[in-house]
Amino acid sequence: MLDQIHLLAAVTVLGVLEQAYFVLQVIYARRVFGISPPKISGPPEFERIFRAQVNCSEYFPIFLALLWQAGLFFHQGLAAALGLLYLYARYCYFIGYRASSSKRLAPMYFGTGILWILVAASALGILHFFLSHYVGLNVLQLLAA
Amino acid sequence: MLDQIHLLAAVTVLGVLEQAYFVLQVIYARRVFGISPPKISGPPEFERIFRAQVNCSEYFPIFLALLWQAGLFFHQGLAAALGLLYLYARYCYFIGYRASSSKRLAPMYFGTGILWILVAASALGILHFFLSHYVGLNVLQLLAA
Amino acid sequence: MLDQIHLLAAVTVLGVLEQAYFVLQVIYARRVFGISPPKISGPPEFERIFRAQVNCSEYFPIFLALLWQAGLFFHQGLAAALGLLYLYARYCYFIGYRASSSKRLAPMYFGTGILWILVAASALGILHFFLSHYVGLNVLQLLAA
């Protein structure tokens, strides 16, 4: 079983390490700007770093859910590759947002695009499974014939 | 293996699409009320939409965790059906909260009720597995005898 | 398959129950301090409880991701035991943060330490799988020889 998920597991752990990096950046920014918990408001420079981390956290479960469905039902290698691209897009998003609100946009669109590809891969893979499981229709075999 | 999880996977992807819809509503509300990131405060109309999305995001990992445990250890079809009901409850919650704070309550209680049923199904399923795995006690066979 | 994940599933459901407890504490605090949704700011006593819950929610998907990778690729029993310790650390964190911002620190460091152990276990387990799967190198057998 593990050989069907080891690439997904590796990308998942990398994703956790990226989240840890973002959290450390917020802790560091709290020190620099002197904003102690539970406060979450401050100068825009701090709020951008804080919101960048919150946004990445919010998308993390969505990303993992899609990564694993696409990997299990479509193709593990492709899902893992898209996962790595997404983590790279999130890194660019965080660095961009820290610099200015507008610089978060390009990597945000890029990351969202990857998520939609993962949605499509998951949906196609699950649909293919439904068709062959319930209707006995194997689309791939039909296309190959 | 996939035939034991394909319904859970389908509900998971539907759940992601619902989260995407909520995020788009916040982006749209930011434009309507002229509130650019990283700002998250504004008129109550905006804050309700924003908080509705944050609340749905916060519960999403909890929902997925319960959906999958209930589906794997209790019954996949039942878990998936409850999952669809939960996604419907969350849609009503979002629409209700956008209209007024009090209109979020009824669908919130409904959704929470479904989560508790998923907790019960997960706990019973896992308990049943523990009893048959460690104690050699198969409760279902005892009840049938 | 279920015997390889039943301990992880049990810890996952326990974790969900803990999150439910935290959410109930916030609902209770909203009543005590008279702060109705969508408002999230108020006296420090309220904001600490609110932020404690948000922080626990934010880490929940990260915790689950690590628990399951460590359990699947390293050792299920060890991962589940570390998971229980983490849930205990989170409980202490919540109680501590409610009392004062500084009292959240010790359990926060403890919980973070456990997460890093889960990261290490996951990474080692996945690395071991990669080496034996792709290179044909079984490190454990080499060490035993």
Side-chain angles (χ1 to χ4, degrees), chain B residues 1 4 40 44 47-48 51 58-59 61-62 65-66 69 72-73 97 101 104 116 119 122 126 129-130 133-134, chain C residues 1-3 5-7 9-10 12-13 16-17 19-20 23 30 37-38 40 50 53-54 57 60-61 64 68:
Chain B
M1 190 191 83
Q4 287 162 39
I40 56 169
E47 291 195 353
R48 288 203 307 273
R51 288 298 306 162
E58 208 169 88
Y59 275 82
I62 290 171
L66 292 177
Q69 312 318 313
L72 288 171
F73 286 89
Y97 205 170
S101 282
R104 85 186 194 288
W116 282 113
V119 165
S122 305
I126 294 169
F129 185 87
F130 270 77
H133 191 70
Y134 291 109
Chain C
M1 189 192 84
L2 294 186
D3 64 312
I5 60 167
H6 65 292
L7 298 174
T12 298
V13 174
V16 167
L17 292 175
Q19 292 298 117
V23 167
R30 280 192 177 280
I40 57 169
F50 179 76
Q53 188 264 321
V54 169
S57 281
F60 192 58
L64 288 187
W68 283 77

Side-chain angles (χ1 to χ4, degrees), chain C residues 36-60:
Chain C
S36 304
K39 278 188 70 182
I40 57 169
S41 53
E45 289 75 24
F46 170 76
E47 290 196 352
R48 287 203 307 272
I49 295 171
F50 179 76
R51 287 298 307 162
Q53 188 264 321
V54 169
N55 189 283
C56 292
S57 281
E58 208 169 89
Y59 276 81
F60 192 58

Side-chain angles (χ1 to χ4, degrees), chain A residues 47-77:
Chain A
E47 291 196 352
R48 287 202 308 271
I49 294 171
F50 178 76
R51 288 297 307 164
Q53 188 264 320
V54 168
N55 188 283
C56 292
S57 281
E58 209 169 87
Y59 276 80
F60 192 58
I62 289 170
F63 164 63
L64 288 187
L66 292 177
L67 172 73
W68 283 76
Q69 311 318 315
L72 288 171
F73 287 87
F74 193 84
H75 190 280
Q76 189 189 191

Side-chain angles (χ1 to χ4, degrees), chain A residues 27-47:
Chain A
I27 292 172
Y28 182 70
R30 281 193 177 279
R31 283 191 201 147
V32 168
F33 296 100
I35 294 162
S36 304
K39 279 188 71 183
I40 57 168
S41 52
E45 289 75 23
F46 169 76
E47 291 196 352

Side-chain angles (χ1 to χ4, degrees), chain B residues 62-144:
Chain B
I62 290 171
F63 164 63
L64 287 187
L66 292 177
L67 171 74
W68 283 76
Q69 312 318 313
L72 288 171
F73 286 89
F74 194 84
H75 189 280
Q76 189 190 187
L78 182 79
L82 288 167
L84 289 178
L85 270 182
Y86 177 79
L87 295 183
Y88 175 68
R90 273 294 163 181
Y91 178 77
C92 297
Y93 168 87
F94 191 89
I95 301 299
Y97 205 170
R98 186 165 59 182
S100 83
S101 282
S102 61
K103 281 191 183 146
R104 85 186 194 288
L105 291 175
M108 194 183 80
Y109 293 140
F110 180 49
T112 308
I114 295 165
L115 287 184
W116 282 113
I117 297 173
L118 284 171
V119 165
S122 305
L124 281 175
I126 294 169
L127 186 68
H128 176 255
F129 185 87
F130 270 77
L131 286 178
S132 64
H133 191 70
Y134 291 109
V135 193
L137 185 74
N138 195 319
V139 180
L140 291 181
Q141 276 182 2
L142 284 180
L143 288 174

